């Protein structure tokens, strides 16, 4: 066992056994500075290894989009790897000229596509994207555009930024996009910090969005492979759109195909100028660094990027109170399941800690692996697993979780029926366990074990430089890094009464969104219902589940939505 891991495990044990330890003894040594252009810089000195986990966070994701440009935040994640005026091309002047010529041709292409869109709206054609319906002018413009793209590709130095990093011993150059953030990361030797400062400031100050239009096709293919071809992918997308009635969380991070295929470089440049300004960015550096020397480099390189004096538009659309339960029943080529998502609160809400504890009581201990590393999961230990899997044996899996985001949150419960059982048979049993918490609360032992599990997971995520970097990024995307530091104190303050209160307040039928999935072509699915008749197994006139006289209904746990990685 190395010294670092020994100290970390000792810290985990201490956290689990001594929850009342002073917060000051548990805090990360985070040094915060802000540049004149508004960029925040977070530095965490850790001298165990001669490396630094670097990243910068743009506080922009799919929630900052609007209909017509959905998927643009993720597209820009790709664009930021295309290079700058000095990186990624053999001829900077001709490269920029080709971008201008492509934009001119795209104006004509959009005019022709607009005509086809109107024909499709009138029913004159079935699919405006079908090559067979192209006009002669559109075919001519597309050929001209392809010639320009081919010429530009001859000038491109592919993956030059990645090669520059690798030649200097750096690893893990990557990025990811979620609803609330876009995060760019790399691990570097500690003596290459100035290289990082120069490269990252260059791609923020002097980006060139080459291959913009052809990259749209790359995104469309990514969507087909990761969402449309995945069993149940489009059903999950539709369920998410149903769940969020008004908020931009309703569309997937990758966006709608019709928007991806038509977004313009002009829209992209406007998006970049708005959201990739330094006053909307936080740089995060964790590892073998000297704070003052690091700050001097940040001032020299990151400080040269001009701020956006207009600032970032606020997301003002709030999710309205849901008036009634929403349900979706779908046939999918995957294991049947029941899932229910309750509208909850943002990650920084004062009730978030109590909902997190409730999620552990019902669903079991949270993941303790390192963020993004596919770390180990603890054996299921929540009430749902004990009741539905071990005792009643009606499910092979049952879980619950709370996921708070910047502007909202969901509390989810879910179950996979055991062989011979249907999702609609397991559904009321999920709700019954939730109702027990509402009526009977949780025990002192359950509360203590849930707090222990959360804090062990918290410390485990801070075991590595990359884990700290990711945790700080998540905190900054939803609030500030101080929310991360305050998390143990907030969890410790949760009482049994708090847990029962949030269960009663948020886990109500009206805020519930239910997805029942069954296999196509029959099998262990839902029994058939005659038109106008009552649900299967219910006598005419009997109240549905969740109404007085029946077991209250509740949703299945949803794991945190994965981020889209380029």
């Amino acid at each position: 066992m190395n010294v670092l891991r020994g100290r970390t495990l000792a810290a985990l044990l201490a956290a689990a056994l001594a929850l009342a330890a002073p917060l000051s003894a548990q805090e990360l040594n985070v040094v915060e500075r802000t540049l004149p252009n508004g960029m925040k810089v977070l530095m965490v000195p850790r001298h165990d290894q001669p490396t630094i986990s670097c990243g910068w966070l743009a506080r922009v994701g799919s929630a900052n989009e609007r209909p017509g440009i959905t998927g643009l935040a993720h597209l820009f994640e790709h664009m930021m790897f295309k290079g700058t005026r000095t990186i990624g091309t053999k001829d900077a002047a001709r490269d920029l000229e080709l971008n201008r010529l492509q934009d001119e041709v795209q104006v004509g292409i959009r005019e022709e596509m607009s005509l086809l869109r109107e024909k499709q709206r009138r029913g004159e054609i079935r699919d405006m994207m079908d090559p067979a319906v192209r006009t002669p002018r559109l075919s001519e413009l597309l050929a001209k555009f392809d010639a320009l793209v081919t010429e530009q590709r001859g000038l491109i130095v592919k993956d030059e930024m990645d090669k520059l990093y690798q030649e200097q011993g750096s690893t893990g150059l990557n990025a990811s996009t979620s609803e609330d953030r876009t995060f760019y990361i790399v691990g570097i030797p500690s003596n290459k910090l100035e290289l990082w400062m120069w490269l990252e400031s260059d791609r923020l100050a002097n980006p060139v969005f080459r291959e913009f239009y052809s990259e749209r096709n790359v995104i469309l293919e990514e969507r087909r492979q990761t969402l449309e071809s995945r069993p149940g992918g489009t059903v999950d997308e539709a369920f998410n759109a149903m769940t969020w009635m008004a908020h931009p969380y309703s569309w997937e991070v990758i966006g709608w195909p019709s928007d991806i295929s038509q977004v313009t470089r002009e829209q992209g440049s406007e998006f970049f100028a708005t959201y990739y300004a330094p006053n909307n960015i936080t740089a995060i550096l964790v590892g073998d660094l000297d704070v003052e020397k690091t700050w001097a480099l940040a001032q020299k390189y990151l400080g040269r990027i001009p701020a956006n004096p207009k600032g970032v538009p606020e997301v003002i659309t709030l999710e309205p109170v849901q008036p009634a339960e929403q349900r979706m029943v779908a046939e999918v080529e995957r294991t049947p399941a029941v899932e229910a998502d309750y509208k909850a609160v943002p990650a920084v809400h004062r009730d978030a800690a109590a909902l997190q504890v409730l999620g552990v009581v019902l669903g079991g201990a949270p993941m303790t692996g390192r963020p993004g590393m596919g770390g180990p999961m603890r054996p299921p230990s929540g009430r749902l697993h004990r009741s539905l899997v071990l005792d009643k044996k009606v499910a092979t899996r049952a879980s619950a979780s709370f996921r708070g985001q910047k502007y909202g949150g969901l509390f989810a419960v879910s179950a996979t029926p055991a062989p011979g059982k249907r999702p609609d048979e397991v559904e009321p049993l999920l709700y019954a366990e939730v109702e027990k918490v509402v009526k009977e609360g949780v025990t002192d032992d359950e509360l203590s074990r849930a707090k222990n599990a959360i804090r062990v997971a918290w410390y485990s995520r801070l075991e590595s430089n990359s884990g700290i970097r990711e945790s700080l990024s998540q905190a900054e995307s939803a609030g500030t890094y101080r929310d991360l530091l305050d998390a143990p104190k907030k969890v410790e303050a949760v009482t049994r009464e708090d847990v029962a209160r949030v269960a009663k307040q948020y886990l109500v039928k009206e805020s519930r969104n239910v997805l029942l999935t069954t296999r196509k072509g029959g099998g262990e699915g839902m029994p058939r219902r005659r038109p106008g008749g009552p649900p299967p197994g219910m006598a005419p006139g009997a109240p549905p589940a969740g109404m007085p006289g029946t077991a209250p209904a509740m949703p299945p746990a949803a794991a945190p939505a994965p981020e889209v990685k380029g």
Side-chain angles (χ1 to χ4, degrees):
M1 177 183 297
N2 62 46
V3 176
L4 173 61
R5 186 160 184 83
R7 285 202 302 268
T8 303
L9 292 175
L12 293 176
L13 181 59
L17 298 179
L19 292 178
L23 182 63
S24 60
Q26 305 163 4
E27 286 185 342
L28 287 170
N29 179 24
V30 181
V31 180
E32 177 186 11
R33 302 275 176 87
T34 303
L35 292 164
N37 60 13
M39 183 183 291
K40 185 189 296 186
V41 181
L42 301 182
M43 297 168 279
V44 183
R46 284 165 56 95
H47 302 292
D48 300 280
Q49 298 174 347
T51 61
I52 303 175
S53 290
C54 305
W56 56 269
L57 164 78
R59 286 182 286 278
V60 58
S62 58
N64 301 94
E65 300 163 350
R66 63 181 184 273
I69 62 167
T70 65
L72 186 53
H74 173 237
L75 175 59
F76 247 87
E77 174 203 322
H78 286 230
M79 284 294 100
M80 294 305 292
F81 288 89
K82 295 299 182 180
T84 68
R85 297 189 181 190
T86 56
I87 297 172
T89 183
K90 301 172 186 176
D91 186 338
R94 180 57 181 169
D95 186 54
L96 291 174
E97 175 67 9
L98 287 168
N99 274 355
R100 185 187 66 79
L101 293 173
Q102 289 174 19
D103 290 341
E104 290 180 356
V105 175
Q106 281 290 325
V107 171
I109 290 175
R110 287 195 296 275
E111 292 172 351
E112 295 302 306
M113 294 301 292
S114 181
L115 296 175
L116 293 178
R117 187 178 295 108
E118 178 63 12
K119 286 186 176 183
Q120 180 173 314
R121 190 177 73 87
R122 292 179 176 275
E124 296 173 15
I125 58 175
R126 292 188 60 183
D127 182 5
M128 60 180 284
M129 305 306 292
D130 185 351
V133 303
R134 291 173 181 170
T135 64
R137 180 174 180 242
L138 178 58
S139 297
E140 179 184 340
L141 288 168
L142 288 172
K144 185 176 181 180
F145 179 78
D146 287 344
L148 293 171
V149 170
T150 300
E151 181 182 352
Q152 186 176 50
R153 284 178 176 165
L155 301 177
I156 289 174
V157 182
K158 200 72 173 174
D159 301 323
E160 186 173 16
M161 181 177 295
D162 193 15
K163 292 173 184 175
L164 286 171
Y165 270 124
Q166 289 186 26
E167 288 170 358
Q168 300 301 317
S170 301
T171 60
L173 181 66
N174 207 344
S176 60
T177 309
S178 72
E179 294 89 347
D180 301 317
R181 67 166 190 174
T182 309
F183 195 33
Y184 298 85
I185 61 172
V186 69
I188 64 170
S190 54
N191 63 350
K192 299 299 179 183
L193 181 57
E194 187 166 10
L195 172 70
W196 180 84
M197 292 282 186
W198 172 70
L199 279 173
E200 299 307 317
S201 64
D202 190 42
R203 68 167 163 169
L204 282 168
N206 304 299
V208 176
F209 307 134
R210 50 183 67 96
E211 295 187 295
F212 184 91
Y213 299 104
S214 57
E215 196 68 21
R216 299 182 309 186
N217 296 329
V218 174
I219 301 294
L220 289 169
E221 181 59 28
E222 180 182 344
R223 178 186 160 87
R224 282 188 287 269
Q225 291 182 5
T226 62
L227 192 151
E228 296 169 6
S229 298
R230 171 168 52 86
T234 54
V235 169
D236 292 336
E237 180 178 43
F239 179 59
N240 182 69
M242 180 188 80
T243 298
W244 296 101
M245 296 185 292
H247 198 271
Y249 287 160
S250 62
W251 52 77
E252 294 292 322
V253 172
I254 204 165
W256 295 112
S258 56
D259 291 350
I260 299 167
S261 63
Q262 297 299 304
V263 68
T264 69
R265 188 176 358 236
E266 181 181 3
Q267 291 172 318
S269 296
E270 180 183 353
F271 188 86
F272 176 84
T274 301
Y275 294 105
Y276 278 77
N279 41 325
N280 195 46
I281 289 174
T282 298
I284 302 173
L285 302 115
V286 183
D288 187 25
L289 59 87
D290 178 280
V291 169
E292 296 308 324
K293 291 180 180 179
T294 301
W295 178 238
L297 290 172
Q299 290 174 301
K300 177 180 178 181
Y301 292 101
L302 300 177
R304 65 183 174 139
I305 308 167
N308 172 16
K310 295 182 180 179
V312 172
E314 184 179 1
V315 177
I316 60 174
T317 301
L318 300 177
E319 184 71 8
V321 175
Q322 187 170 306
E325 178 191 71
Q326 301 184 105
R327 299 179 69 84
M328 179 180 290
V329 179
E331 293 185 341
V332 182
E333 290 296 341
R334 69 182 184 193
T335 304
V338 53
E339 174 180 345
D341 294 352
Y342 294 94
K343 297 284 178 55
V345 299
V348 297
H349 193 279
R350 67 181 192 175
D351 286 339
L355 285 164
Q356 188 180 11
V357 171
L358 175 60
V360 175
V361 170
L362 288 173
M367 184 177 74
T368 59
R370 298 178 183 177
M373 299 296 289
M377 293 288 289
R378 285 172 169 261
S381 57
R383 281 192 183 189
L384 296 179
H385 180 82
R386 292 197 302 272
S387 174
L388 275 61
V389 178
L390 300 181
D391 296 342
K392 297 183 177 66
K393 302 187 186 323
V394 296
T396 58
R397 181 196 62 83
S399 62
S401 66
F402 164 66
R403 185 193 181 210
Q405 297 172 264
K406 185 173 184 177
Y407 301 106
L410 295 173
F411 190 96
V413 296
S414 64
T416 300
K421 296 293 181 181
R422 301 189 310 267
D424 65 318
E425 293 176 318
V426 177
E427 182 185 0
L429 302 179
L430 279 172
Y431 303 149
E433 290 301 320
V434 174
E435 189 65 16
K436 284 182 183 178
V437 176
V438 174
K439 291 182 177 180
E440 304 170 12
V442 299
T443 67
D444 287 330
D445 181 61
E446 284 179 315
L447 182 66
S448 177
R449 284 190 288 111
K451 290 180 178 181
N452 280 345
I454 292 170
R455 296 192 66 164
V456 167
W458 188 87
Y459 280 101
S460 179
R461 290 172 68 85
L462 306 182
E463 179 180 355
S464 66
N465 291 346
S466 60
I468 295 171
R469 178 185 63 190
E470 175 66 19
S471 297
L472 289 171
S473 169
Q474 290 179 356
E476 283 285 309
S477 68
T480 75
Y481 76 94
R482 292 183 179 86
D483 294 304
L484 173 68
L485 302 184
D486 291 342
K489 180 173 63 177
K490 291 180 179 179
V491 169
E492 177 56 24
V494 173
T495 65
R496 291 172 54 194
E497 291 74 20
D498 290 330
V499 176
R501 175 182 58 80
V502 296
K504 182 178 181 180
Q505 180 175 347
Y506 298 107
L507 307 190
V508 296
K509 181 183 178 182
E510 289 75 18
S511 72
R512 189 167 67 215
N513 301 276
V514 184
L515 172 62
L516 298 173
T517 55
T518 63
R519 287 193 183 279
K520 281 188 175 182
E524 281 141 7
M526 303 285 289
R528 296 194 177 276
R529 175 182 179 181
R530 72 177 187 276
M538 181 183 295
M547 295 293 286
T550 67
M554 156 141 192
E563 296 185 345
V564 177
K565 295 191 176 182

